[in-house]
Amino acid sequence: MMFPSFAYNFYERKLQRSLAADRIPHHIGVMVDGNRRWAKLAGAPTQHGHQAGADKILEFLGWCRELGVEMVTLYMLSTDNMSRSAEEIEQLLDIIGNTLDRLGETRTVRVQPVGALDLLPEHLAVKVTELAERTACIEGLHVNVAVGYGGRREIVDAVKELLMHADSEGASLADVAGNLSVGQISEYLYTRGQPDPDLVIRTSGELRLSGFLMWQSAYSEFYFCEALWPDFRRVDFLRALRDYGRRQRRFGG
């Protein structure tokens, strides 16, 4: 058993040495998918899968800090997920709340909520809002927590806010329509003021976005990994970064 471990460690170090510092993505979006399937395969309750996934998040953020990633957006709970059974949602929300507490305890990350907080139980919405305020001055890794998030809902919310702001300034609908631009809508997204993700990673072998950062990912690179999220290893992450570093990015020009 020692040789496989030695070989794995050697391969991991080799992978990391192959990464060019100037080719590390600044902003990574991560779809932490496969927790329920992981639990089913292990013959464990669904809650155990969600907890294993939460533990992996803390580990993953450590890898990001080590490798110089500046911003991570974690897709933790979608608007679609909230249609699951009341029991599973309650367990999942408890795990998310505990994960937020653990993130705050590290004192190394700046946390920002990304989602429709009005969809969440009040105690969780308050928790993530207070955590954002408490960590606002931290200069370390910036972590967007996408909870109660849906890409279509985000765009609708952005347009609503834009229209309400225009109305408060006395602008007519004709004025708004005549001046509307991509840049204007971007100013009202949940991620306003942030760079778009350079790389989006999805685990569990699924090959779709499922509403994640639909607007922001127009020119992102995508990496799909077969591993279920709780099984996602550092070597899997290094492979994603190596693949990203080899790509020639194009922005429609």
Side-chain angles (χ1 to χ4, degrees):
M1 294 297 293
M2 292 181 63
F3 177 74
S5 177
F6 171 80
Y8 176 88
N9 292 334
F10 175 80
Y11 176 59
E12 185 180 286
R13 290 193 298 271
K14 182 179 179 181
L15 268 177
Q16 184 166 341
R17 287 195 301 268
S18 73
L19 302 178
D22 62 349
R23 296 290 292 168
I24 298 295
H26 298 288
H27 181 184
I28 299 177
V30 188
M31 306 177 71
V32 295
D33 193 23
N35 297 331
R36 294 204 294 177
R37 272 174 282 170
W38 183 88
K40 185 176 181 179
L41 289 171
T46 299
Q47 182 179 6
H48 288 199
H50 291 313
Q51 185 60 60
D55 294 340
K56 180 61 65 174
I57 284 173
L58 275 295
E59 187 178 7
F60 175 78
L61 295 179
W63 302 338
C64 289
R65 285 195 299 270
E66 292 169 8
L67 294 165
V69 177
E70 298 173 0
M71 180 176 291
V72 175
T73 299
L74 299 166
Y75 201 10
M76 296 178 68
L77 179 69
S78 74
T79 51
D80 292 335
N81 292 156
M82 300 187 75
S83 64
R84 294 177 181 176
S85 70
E87 180 182 8
E88 182 178 353
I89 287 298
E90 182 178 358
Q91 294 171 347
L92 183 52
L93 292 175
D94 285 344
I95 289 170
I96 290 173
N98 179 256
T99 303
L100 292 172
D101 290 337
R102 294 167 70 187
L103 285 174
E105 290 167 2
T106 68
R107 299 184 179 180
T108 60
V109 297
R110 177 184 175 187
V111 177
Q112 179 174 331
V114 176
L117 297 187
D118 58 296
L119 297 180
L120 304 178
E122 183 178 0
H123 71 277
L124 186 59
V126 169
K127 182 188 288 286
V128 69
T129 300
E130 290 181 346
L131 180 59
E133 294 171 352
R134 197 164 65 248
T135 62
C137 294
I138 292 178
E139 296 183 357
L141 181 66
H142 186 129
V143 179
N144 291 323
V145 178
V147 183
Y149 177 87
R152 290 177 175 175
R153 169 69 186 258
E154 178 181 24
I155 295 169
V156 169
D157 284 350
V159 173
K160 282 183 177 179
E161 189 175 349
L162 185 155
L163 292 174
M164 292 175 66
H165 182 259
D167 181 67
S168 70
E169 295 193 335
S172 69
L173 285 177
D175 291 335
V176 174
N179 296 312
L180 192 61
S181 68
V182 168
Q184 279 185 308
I185 293 177
S186 295
E187 291 174 4
Y188 291 92
L189 297 173
Y190 301 146
T191 58
R192 66 195 71 177
Q194 298 182 9
D196 292 336
D198 302 295
L199 174 66
V200 174
I201 298 173
R202 181 167 190 167
T203 55
S204 84
E206 299 292 348
L207 305 178
R208 59 180 183 273
L209 274 180
S210 298
F212 183 51
L213 300 179
M214 293 168 58
W215 182 279
Q216 299 90 332
S217 66
Y219 292 106
S220 301
E221 300 295 323
F222 294 90
Y223 185 86
F224 299 101
C225 179
E226 290 292 331
L228 302 176
W229 175 248
D231 289 331
F232 189 71
R233 305 164 299 172
R234 193 171 187 272
V235 72
D236 296 315
F237 184 42
L238 293 173
R239 285 171 177 162
L241 297 182
R242 179 185 62 182
D243 184 80
Y244 170 83
R246 291 174 173 174
R247 297 185 190 181
Q248 182 64 44
R249 298 194 69 192
R250 296 180 176 85
F251 298 90

